[in-house]
Amino acid sequence: MKITEPPRTPEQRKADLLGRLEREMDIWVATADTDGVPCLVPLWFVWHDEAVWLCTRLTNPTGRNLRDGGRTRLALGDTRDVVLVDGEVRTYPMRDVPPVAVEAFRAKTGWDPRGDHASYAFFRVRPHAVQAWCEVQELPRRHLMREGVWTV
């Protein structure tokens, strides 16, 4: 999109967002530890059952921060088509993760963490707020979800 193009409707932005969540493989995951030290990493993800599912080790900073902090900000990578998702995190040790979520993750990424190292866990991120915009002309109506409810 160029700045001279008309802005997308909120409905089109939501459709574009959901399409990206289905097809993109990586998402930026922002967390902070108890001292406020930030951590930003890309992780594979799957959009399943109205949530973003991530998998990483509980022994690394991102896993600890997701578990202990209970919230995150996610972002898709394109700076000309911005997507920000603020969400609440629930941690699932491998023995407790719903099999359907693991299968959705495996189907998308080709990786089944259940057969990998024992320190892996899944993290379900339920969106609380979602913003999406391309260029400055879409900033005024960028909020597609507030307080866990789609605005469109």
Side-chain angles (χ1 to χ4, degrees):
M1 170 177 262
K2 294 182 180 178
I3 201 163
T4 57
E5 294 179 29
R8 296 171 296 170
T9 65
E11 293 79 12
Q12 184 60 53
R13 274 190 263 166
K14 181 181 177 184
D16 292 347
L17 159 73
L18 293 174
R20 288 183 74 187
L21 289 171
E22 289 296 325
R23 73 179 173 273
E24 293 197 24
M25 185 74 72
D26 303 305
I27 199 161
W28 287 101
V29 180
T31 62
D33 68 15
T34 55
D35 293 326
V37 177
C39 181
L40 179 67
V41 298
L43 292 177
W44 283 349
F45 78 98
V46 66
W47 174 251
H48 171 72
D49 196 24
E50 295 293 311
V52 173
W53 289 82
L54 310 165
C55 185
T56 192
R57 293 181 184 210
L58 283 168
T59 55
N60 68 34
T62 299
R64 287 192 306 270
N65 295 347
L66 288 167
R67 179 195 61 208
D68 298 345
R71 61 186 182 162
T72 186
R73 172 168 273 185
L74 307 174
L76 293 173
D78 189 341
T79 60
R80 296 288 179 193
D81 188 2
V82 177
V83 172
L84 297 177
V85 177
D86 294 320
E88 297 176 13
V89 178
R90 179 171 175 191
T91 303
Y92 289 87
M94 212 46 77
R95 67 184 176 279
D96 297 334
V97 66
V100 66
V102 179
E103 184 52 34
F105 188 87
R106 188 208 55 77
K108 182 176 183 183
T109 67
W111 176 48
D112 187 342
R114 292 175 293 192
D116 216 320
H117 196 276
S119 69
Y120 279 101
F122 273 85
F123 303 88
R124 181 190 70 199
V125 180
R126 287 264 185 227
H128 182 72
V130 176
Q131 299 176 59
W133 72 90
C134 285
E135 304 297 342
V136 69
Q137 72 270 30
E138 289 187 355
L139 280 173
R141 298 179 71 194
R142 67 187 174 271
H143 295 277
L144 302 180
M145 178 184 282
R146 292 178 188 265
E147 302 197 20
V149 178
W150 292 106
T151 61
V152 293

